[in-house]
Amino acid sequence: MTLEVIAAVLVGAAAVWLVLQPLIAPGRPSAPVFEPLDPEETPKGVALAALKEIEFDRETGKLSDEDYAYLKGKYTGVALEALRAESAEQAARGDSAAGGGLGDVEVMIAARVRALRSAATSAPPGAPSCPTCGPRPEADAVFCSTCARRLRQGGACAGCGAALGPASRYCERCGAGVAA
Amino acid sequence: MTLLGQFALWAAFLIAVWCAVIAFSGRWQGRPELAATVTRSVYAVFGCLVVASLALWKGLITHDFNIEYVAAYTSRNLPPYYIVSAFWAGQKGSLLFWAVVLSLFASLAQLLTPRRNADLMPYVAGVTSAVAAFFVSVMLFGASPFERLGYTPADGRGLNPQLQNVGMVIHPPMLYLGYISITIPFAFAIAALLSRRLDTGWIHAIRKWTLVSWLFLSIGITLGMWWAYVELGWGGYWAWDPVENASFLPWLTMTAFLHSVMIQEKRGMLKRWNLGLIVGTFLLSIFGTFITRSGVIASVHSFTQSNVGYFFLAFLVVAAVLSFTLLYTRWPLLEADVQLESMLSREAAFLFNNLLLVGIAFSVLWGTLFPILSEAVRGSKITVGPPFFNRVNVPLGLLLLALTGIGPLIAWRKASTANLRRQFVTPVSAGAATLVVLLAAGVRDLYPVMTFTLAGFVAGTVLQEFYRGIRARRRMHGESVPVAFLRLIERNRRRYGGYIVHVGVLIYFVAFAGMAFKVEREATLKPGESVELRSPFGHTYTFTQVGISQYEALNRVVSAATVQVTVDGKPAGLLTSEKRQHVDSFKRPTFEPSTEVGIRSGLREDLYLVFAGAVGGTEEAVYRFNINPLVWWVWFGGFVLAFGGIVTMWPGGGPTIARTRQAQGGYGVALVGAGKETDR
Amino acid sequence: MTDQAGSRTPGRRDFLRAGLALVILPPVQDSLSGRGDLGTVRDPSALGRPLAPTDPAENAAEIQAIELKLACNCGCTLDVFTCRTTDFSCTYSPRLHREVLALREQGLSAQQVLDAFVAKYGEKALMAPKPRGFNLAGYLLPGVAITTAGAALTWLISRRRAVAAAAGPSAAAPEVQASDEELARLQRALDEVDD
């Protein structure tokens, strides 16, 4: 009986701690990570898969020539549009690897590495931050010296002064939200 | 351990309510610590329910008969595996089982869903927690598995003999897994509606879950048929019993969803319809639970009945009102991207497929509820038995079977006449050839002939699809036949796995049609006397009474009656059916004697022997003999169906876009681009 | 040679043949036990209710056909024939069976027996309600609903198609406006798709 009460108290305490821990001790909330779509689920991927399927359906005799021409034209247009949008995005990002089909994960990892490095070495608190390349060491710069994009001021957490990564919505040291 | 169990239930209930309140308040948006609380609550509820389950299992295993549930469903001499399965054999335990599996699925959904759906997940957690809180509250306020008796019986009542069967150890969990897993797609649907993120994101997130619940439902229903066949002893596997119907309803709507969701993915149509189907499937699964447990409609599943049914009715109404209100308020956001372009397109075929599946679901629901309706309208009680359901549903089923063959032959978007002719020649000839063979063999019964003919047509369709697919791959990629065959399935699992499922379905249909030819007969035989039955396949079976022997087994006294079988005059061994008088550990009888049928299963027909009883305690026995054609094929069809389902949901598959090479290259280039030193 | 065969130790082939015969041939009972005097079982109470021997006449096909159409009222959801040959604790179905036999002995036809049951027990005595009056709704509503919905769907689709046709010939393949460089890039992207 006593043992059971102790077990019940332990279970209850463990459950309550598990649930309330983020509120009581908001130490390290895992920052929401942006996870890109699988390449197959992007507009480009969907259009490419559709083009492949059209070829296959014609080969199996499902599509008449007329329908094939129509669908092929339509989805080629969609695919080209997706490719153009992708290039435009990459150009906007100032990516030297345009056309290489650089995935979002890689951009993220690279940006993250840059942010950590510069934060660890030279970025003073309150330094401006580039949307692509992270916090910059030059306190009075207006444009990024790496990619020439306009810098965002105050790339540091208002709460604890830690440097913020690009597109951070929460400080990764203290968990405070970042005002957009 | 009941104290711990009861405490864990309360903890689970309070945490689940907390989770639902925070989640639906929406305050977690922009506050990661609240979002984290919501997610962690899901895990905490799961932990608490695991503790409660372990507490109940401990009571079962240690024979703590002071616990009402343990005394009601087990006894000291019950075989160990039935003690484990007694967990879900009764009303109260199955509620706990339901709750714990639901919270397991809810935790898996939180863990396994890609992070890009992070802003749906707290809402998902809210819905699953609300459902879990409901189930736990039924236990807390209606039927607690931890209730204690005022005294301790020396031995329990033992498990209902009909539940002492391997089928019963796995059939209910499978079906429950199916029912329960429907909650996850439902939760995503509600989350998408609440957050107004109604693009295809939530559809992708639930793709696997819908397949999982469909697969569990299919396996659960098939196992249920098997259990009914070998254990209930009435000679068949499907009697349109309300509980059977209740499991069939969500299967139908889920099958409809699995088809129509492909149109939404490919063409951006049917968004509202798909949401409605998911919500409807969930409500039907709750409705099924209500039917099973309330006893408002007479059924063979009376062992789980009690007053908790009305909890479910209330929950059903509340869930329905809330879901459909939510759907209504988001209606304008669910505009279709594309409009249908032609009647003869595959989208149209899919629409008619959905219409039929939902129509059959409606018709089954209608038949199930018709006795209540009739009593309310006319005040007279009626029985709505298998003849009614067969009359109404067999034509619909045949239409559906036909569509199974037609749908895959039509291309997306538009199909021309010439193209149709090219597609249909082979399958239609296959159907026609089947018809000719049947007529030549002298089969004249309308429905079976139609079923077999259509089955031939569907088989033709599937074979042609595989043949043309392989041929196309050989031409396009220069692959050998086996490679092309495997790649064909691998690269388009949903289509070709789906075709395997279609094969399973057509096998079911053929097997069901076979039962139209079953032969049954009652006879009283003294030892040495025999009875003759002629089977639909033209064999003559002779059953000669051998005798009755009695012996004691672990928890029962067995009376085994044996007949000798000859086929067309040739001896074919013995067949035994048993009467089992179950006893507790003091040798006191616990239940009415139950009957264990003797079955000899074959590819063509099953011999099915039921020992009704003896005349005046002598070896003169009363039997029912059944010859059931094609029953083996039902179980085989189930295997094929499940295999196709697994192929469809196997991870990976589909055309992949190469990215490993790119990723590495991109990483290096990006670092160079950043102007930092790299060690490439 | 032949007289030695009996004493010869069985060869491997004989052994295999004997084993194979054991596997393939079903076990055959030499003689039937219990022929002659009728044995009694040790514990008749374990067999449930003692039954009366059934007369082949009471299991005639037409009796069975009638009973398959009559519902047992013990709450089993089965018909009289299936219930009385399945659920041996049921006391209703054997009684209903006797009633059927009695009615048949009075010379009633199958339909008259069914009618007599309906007159005595109400409409719920039938496994499926007669398709007339309100019951027709039970039989017809699903079919009517599906047909109506199907017709509505067909109409809707054909109307949309007409509207689309009036809007212009959509069937013409859309012109693809793209430079050679873009098309080459699309081809590269397509080649990267492993299907």
Side-chain angles (χ1 to χ4, degrees):
Chain A
M1 186 68 186
T2 337
L3 210 67
E4 222 182 315
V5 172
I6 295 171
V9 168
L10 284 178
V11 167
V16 169
W17 173 249
L18 180 65
V19 172
L20 296 183
Q21 196 248 344
L23 297 182
I24 298 166
R28 322 163 290 283
S30 52
V33 177
F34 170 72
E35 201 184 53
L37 290 170
D38 290 337
E40 291 81 21
E41 288 178 12
T42 57
K44 177 182 125 186
V46 171
L48 292 181
L51 281 172
K52 288 281 183 182
E53 194 176 342
I54 291 162
E55 291 295 334
F56 183 78
D57 276 351
R58 181 166 82 146
E59 206 57 38
T60 51
K62 281 258 163 61
L63 287 179
S64 64
D65 288 342
E66 184 200 352
D67 268 359
Y68 170 77
Y70 173 83
L71 289 172
K72 171 116 181 162
K74 181 174 168 186
Y75 281 97
T76 305
V78 175
L80 284 170
E81 203 144 294
L83 282 174
R84 283 174 198 143
E86 202 181 63
S87 327
E89 200 183 321
Q90 278 163 355
R93 237 192 252 135
D95 212 323
S96 57
L102 188 57
D104 287 329
V105 184
E106 288 73 41
V107 173
M108 261 172 47
I109 293 172
R112 183 101 187 86
V113 168
R114 286 194 297 271
L116 286 174
R117 279 190 182 155
S118 52
T121 51
S122 48
S129 161
C130 168
T132 323
C133 311
R136 308 299 303 171
E138 312 89 346
D140 53 352
V142 179
F143 294 97
C144 175
S145 57
T146 304
C147 71
R149 300 189 76 179
R150 184 174 280 278
L151 295 180
R152 206 155 23 93
Q153 288 299 318
C157 172
C160 67
L164 293 172
S168 283
R169 285 160 64 194
Y170 304 99
C171 172
E172 51 200 39
R173 189 177 295 167
C174 71
V178 175
Chain B
M1 298 297 270
T2 52
L3 186 88
L4 178 62
Q6 193 73 10
F7 177 82
L9 286 185
W10 272 107
F13 177 67
L14 293 174
I15 295 172
V17 169
W18 156 266
C19 174
V21 168
I22 302 271
F24 291 132
S25 74
R27 300 288 294 277
W28 46 270
Q29 276 156 347
R31 291 183 63 187
E33 73 280 6
L34 276 182
T37 298
V38 169
T39 313
R40 280 156 171 254
S41 299
V42 175
Y43 304 141
V45 170
F46 174 58
C48 289
L49 290 173
V50 166
V51 170
S53 307
L54 291 177
L56 181 59
W57 252 321
K58 175 146 188 296
L60 287 166
I61 290 165
T62 55
H63 296 306
D64 186 354
F65 295 122
N66 188 241
I67 303 174
E68 190 265 338
Y69 187 78
V70 177
Y73 293 102
T74 63
S75 59
R76 286 185 197 282
N77 58 3
L78 190 69
Y81 36 94
Y82 294 133
I83 288 182
V84 174
S85 71
F87 184 46
W88 52 77
Q91 162 86 272
K92 300 166 175 179
S94 64
L95 284 172
L96 181 54
F97 181 74
W98 190 298
V100 72
V101 175
L102 172 61
S103 61
L104 169 68
F105 284 163
S107 306
L108 287 177
Q110 293 291 332
L111 276 176
L112 300 179
T113 306
R115 291 269 198 82
R116 63 171 165 275
N117 293 313
D119 45 351
L120 288 179
M121 295 324 285
Y123 280 135
V124 172
V127 176
T128 55
S129 293
V131 179
F134 163 72
F135 273 91
V136 176
S137 71
V138 174
M139 277 183 275
L140 289 175
F141 307 118
S144 171
F146 298 109
E147 199 179 312
R148 282 195 176 272
L149 294 166
Y151 61 103
T152 305
D155 199 355
R157 275 192 75 212
L159 194 61
N160 186 327
Q162 288 186 336
L163 303 184
Q164 295 191 34
N165 173 282
V166 201
M168 219 44 198
V169 176
I170 40 179
H171 151 61
M174 281 294 167
L175 205 51
Y176 285 157
L177 289 177
Y179 274 152
I180 300 164
S181 49
I182 292 170
T183 312
I184 306 297
F186 171 71
F188 272 96
I190 296 295
L193 285 172
L194 281 171
S195 63
R196 295 165 197 270
R197 273 195 47 189
L198 292 161
D199 51 4
T200 47
W202 74 277
I203 291 278
H204 286 157
I206 64 166
R207 195 187 274 167
K208 288 275 147 76
W209 284 104
T210 50
L211 281 167
V212 163
S213 54
W214 179 86
L215 190 62
F216 279 132
L217 274 178
S218 309
I219 296 174
I221 292 171
T222 311
L223 282 173
M225 292 197 273
W226 183 72
W227 169 74
Y229 186 66
V230 303
E231 200 55 44
L232 290 182
W234 60 271
Y237 39 76
W238 190 266
W240 297 104
D241 180 270
V243 172
E244 292 169 351
N245 295 348
S247 67
F248 191 37
L249 291 172
W251 185 88
L252 285 167
T253 48
M254 189 57 100
T255 309
F257 174 81
L258 290 179
H259 287 94
S260 61
V261 74
M262 286 191 271
I263 302 192
Q264 180 169 351
E265 284 180 23
K266 277 194 203 282
R267 321 277 299 160
M269 303 192 294
L270 298 182
K271 291 176 185 173
R272 294 166 182 160
W273 176 250
N274 284 332
L275 272 164
L277 277 180
I278 285 290
V279 171
T281 306
F282 175 74
L283 294 176
L284 283 175
S285 79
I286 298 294
F287 172 76
T289 322
F290 164 64
I291 289 279
T292 318
R293 286 157 198 278
S294 65
V296 286
I297 303 169
S299 149
V300 292
H301 288 67
S302 44
F303 26 75
T304 48
Q305 283 172 12
S306 78
N307 57 351
V308 303
Y310 295 96
F311 282 79
F312 285 91
L313 189 60
F315 182 64
L316 183 67
V317 171
V318 171
V321 169
L322 289 181
S323 312
F324 285 116
T325 310
L326 187 61
L327 190 57
Y328 175 74
T329 57
R330 303 293 192 265
W331 200 249
L333 298 174
L334 293 160
E335 199 66 50
D337 304 344
V338 193
Q339 301 291 3
L340 212 62
E341 295 183 47
S342 159
M343 266 294 278
L344 272 178
S345 66
R346 194 181 293 174
E347 289 101 315
F350 271 56
L351 282 184
F352 285 105
N353 142 304
N354 261 250
L355 174 68
L356 266 180
L357 282 166
V358 174
I360 293 174
F362 169 72
S363 140
V364 172
L365 184 66
W366 174 251
T368 311
L369 296 178
F370 194 65
I372 300 177
L373 195 72
S374 168
E375 202 179 341
V377 173
R378 295 168 58 216
S380 77
K381 286 191 176 171
I382 54 163
T383 311
V384 174
F388 176 91
F389 284 99
N390 289 339
R391 203 150 166 186
V392 177
N393 288 307
V394 167
L396 299 178
L398 287 176
L399 263 174
L400 186 67
L401 184 61
L403 219 50
T404 310
I406 296 170
L409 297 178
I410 303 175
W412 290 102
R413 192 175 167 271
K414 280 183 165 186
S416 66
T417 331
N419 165 272
L420 284 177
R421 199 176 306 124
R422 196 165 57 221
Q423 292 291 329
F424 276 87
V425 168
T426 317
V428 168
S429 329
T434 319
L435 180 65
V436 168
V437 169
L438 285 171
L439 292 179
V443 189
R444 291 290 182 276
D445 312 66
L446 178 64
Y447 282 150
V449 166
M450 282 175 75
T451 311
F452 296 139
T453 306
L454 286 172
F457 167 64
V458 177
T461 298
V462 174
L463 282 177
Q464 175 177 284
E465 282 293 298
F466 272 98
Y467 172 74
R468 294 208 170 152
I470 291 169
R471 204 179 53 181
R473 279 202 77 89
R474 279 168 63 78
R475 270 205 302 264
M476 292 166 76
H477 303 275
E479 292 160 348
S480 67
V481 174
V483 172
F485 175 69
L486 290 176
R487 289 248 168 98
L488 186 69
I489 298 174
E490 192 199 334
R491 295 303 150 86
N492 202 342
R493 292 224 175 99
R494 259 210 291 187
R495 188 190 284 187
Y496 291 93
Y499 289 154
I500 298 175
V501 172
H502 283 186
V503 173
V505 169
L506 90 88
I507 294 174
Y508 271 123
F509 268 94
V510 168
F512 295 157
M515 269 309 225
F517 301 100
K518 81 171 176 179
V519 177
E520 53 187 340
R521 163 130 191 235
E522 192 192 36
T524 308
L525 300 177
K526 285 181 183 157
E529 285 183 343
S530 55
V531 64
E532 227 178 60
L533 258 75
R534 216 173 136 69
S535 88
F537 280 95
H539 296 294
T540 305
Y541 290 91
T542 316
F543 301 94
T544 312
Q545 163 74 335
V546 176
I548 303 172
S549 62
Q550 276 189 328
Y551 56 92
E552 282 178 24
L554 179 63
N555 59 351
R556 55 190 183 264
V557 179
V558 179
S559 312
T562 305
V563 293
Q564 190 181 46
V565 185
T566 62
V567 188
D568 302 327
K570 285 193 282 288
L574 303 170
L575 199 56
T576 299
S577 167
E578 296 176 359
K579 270 265 180 272
R580 294 178 174 177
Q581 174 62 63
H582 284 260
V583 294
D584 64 10
S585 51
F586 301 101
K587 305 281 176 214
R588 295 176 304 202
T590 46
F591 292 89
E592 289 277 336
S594 64
T595 311
E596 200 66 14
V597 296
I599 298 174
R600 170 156 324 152
S601 203
L603 293 185
R604 290 183 179 180
E605 47 208 3
D606 276 16
L607 303 183
Y608 191 95
L609 177 70
V610 181
F611 173 34
V615 176
T618 66
E619 286 193 287
E620 181 175 8
V622 182
Y623 290 111
R624 191 183 77 224
F625 301 95
N626 274 45
I627 296 175
N628 296 331
L630 303 179
V631 173
W632 183 86
W633 293 91
V634 177
W635 324 134
F636 181 69
F639 271 109
V640 174
L641 189 88
F643 176 72
I646 290 170
V647 166
T648 308
M649 62 183 283
W650 199 260
T656 50
I657 296 172
R659 54 183 152 162
T660 349
R661 184 168 34 82
Q662 279 179 9
Q664 283 161 355
Y667 188 51
V669 169
L671 287 180
V672 171
K676 297 283 172 192
E677 72 284 358
T678 52
D679 46 8
R680 5 186 350 214
Chain C
M1 251 338 238
T2 44
D3 53 349
Q4 279 178 345
S7 60
R8 187 173 61 105
T9 47
R12 193 172 47 178
R13 189 167 295 183
D14 299 314
F15 184 72
L16 280 177
R17 201 174 295 151
L20 206 61
L22 267 178
V23 173
I24 292 174
L25 296 177
V28 177
Q29 188 104 343
D30 288 342
S31 60
L32 293 174
S33 63
R35 198 183 282 273
D37 287 343
L38 194 57
T40 49
V41 295
R42 190 162 44 105
D43 178 10
S45 69
L47 278 162
R49 219 149 26 83
L51 300 178
T54 54
D55 176 9
E58 67 179 80
N59 279 310
E62 69 269 15
I63 301 281
Q64 188 179 324
I66 295 172
E67 289 183 356
L68 286 173
K69 287 183 184 144
L70 290 172
C72 173
N73 47 11
C74 73
C76 58
T77 74
L78 299 170
D79 58 80
V80 171
F81 174 80
T82 310
C83 182
R84 74 183 176 84
T85 55
T86 304
D87 180 358
F88 308 108
S89 60
C90 175
T91 53
Y92 291 91
S93 49
R95 214 184 61 216
L96 296 171
H97 171 59
R98 295 280 144 220
E99 280 183 37
V100 172
L101 293 178
L103 290 170
R104 283 294 285 179
E105 266 167 33
Q106 291 168 22
L108 268 63
S109 71
Q111 190 53 51
Q112 283 168 326
V113 173
L114 295 179
D115 291 343
F117 263 78
V118 172
K120 185 170 177 190
Y121 296 100
E123 209 176 346
K124 69 175 194 296
L126 297 176
M127 277 309 275
K130 281 185 210 151
R132 70 173 67 125
F134 179 68
N135 293 337
L136 268 179
Y139 281 99
L140 297 181
L141 185 70
V144 169
I146 292 175
T147 317
T148 315
L153 198 63
T154 312
W155 178 76
L156 218 69
I157 294 170
S158 51
R159 198 190 59 163
R160 282 208 177 140
R161 201 177 158 202
V163 169
S170 67
E175 279 299 309
V176 176
Q177 307 275 336
S179 63
D180 288 347
E181 192 267 333
E182 277 179 324
L183 286 177
R185 206 176 135 207
L186 174 64
Q187 194 51 50
R188 270 205 310 281
L190 272 174
D191 290 342
E192 268 169 13
V193 179
D194 181 20
D195 66 335

